[in-house]
Amino acid sequence: MAINYLCPYCNGYLNIDDNVVFSARTSENNMGLIFLHPELGNYSVLKHESFHYSEGDKLEFFCSICHKNLTSWTEENLAKVIFEDEKGNLFEILFSKIAGEKSTYKTIGENVEVYGHDANKYLDFVNLSLMH
């Protein structure tokens, strides 16, 4: 069994091949598709050349299937998806919605695995969400 990313609302599979597919919107209401690398800590991004945003811009991420907003309820700068590992175990993944910011969190029970050099920025919010 391969790893998968799922929408927390519709449980639809968001990954195809070596990409996790989201629809996204900038604060200026520009919309496009974003393909993120499925490896945690790999911040490769593919997008259409005409979908413009700059480092530091806040993006809204949406499920590419049901179109629900994936913003985390614990921190408005983080998006949330479900990660299914090779054994079928499910984990919550939180990642930064700020372009160029490298912060990803994989929650495992009351523990969290942290990825990216900007991860300390939201660690308090992630830890707080694990307490509820």
Side-chain angles (χ1 to χ4, degrees), residues 71-97:
T71 298
S72 168
W73 63 270
T74 57
E75 167 54 50
E76 68 178 24
N77 288 336
L78 297 176
K80 177 176 81 169
V81 294
I82 304 300
F83 176 79
E84 180 181 40
D85 71 10
E86 298 88 351
K87 297 177 183 176
N89 299 311
L90 300 177
F91 305 94
E92 184 176 273
I93 300 293
L94 299 167
F95 62 93
S96 176
K97 300 185 331 182

Side-chain angles (χ1 to χ4, degrees), residues 40-124:
L40 296 174
N42 183 331
Y43 294 96
S44 301
V45 176
L46 293 174
K47 64 178 186 62
H48 193 276
E49 61 192 34
S50 66
F51 181 45
H52 298 288
Y53 57 84
S54 300
E55 295 269 320
D57 287 351
K58 182 175 172 179
L59 303 172
E60 293 299 325
F61 285 82
F62 300 90
C63 173
S64 53
I65 301 164
C66 73
H67 308 291
K68 294 268 190 185
N69 190 319
L70 298 175
T71 298
S72 168
W73 63 270
T74 57
E75 167 54 50
E76 68 178 24
N77 288 336
L78 297 176
K80 177 176 81 169
V81 294
I82 304 300
F83 176 79
E84 180 181 40
D85 71 10
E86 298 88 351
K87 297 177 183 176
N89 299 311
L90 300 177
F91 305 94
E92 184 176 273
I93 300 293
L94 299 167
F95 62 93
S96 176
K97 300 185 331 182
I98 308 299
E101 210 170 65
K102 293 173 174 51
S103 24
T104 306
Y105 314 89
K106 177 182 175 186
T107 61
I108 305 165
E110 293 185 4
N111 297 314
V112 62
E113 288 181 13
V114 178
Y115 301 87
H117 68 271
D118 298 315
N120 287 337
K121 186 170 185 175
Y122 303 108
L123 196 52
D124 288 342

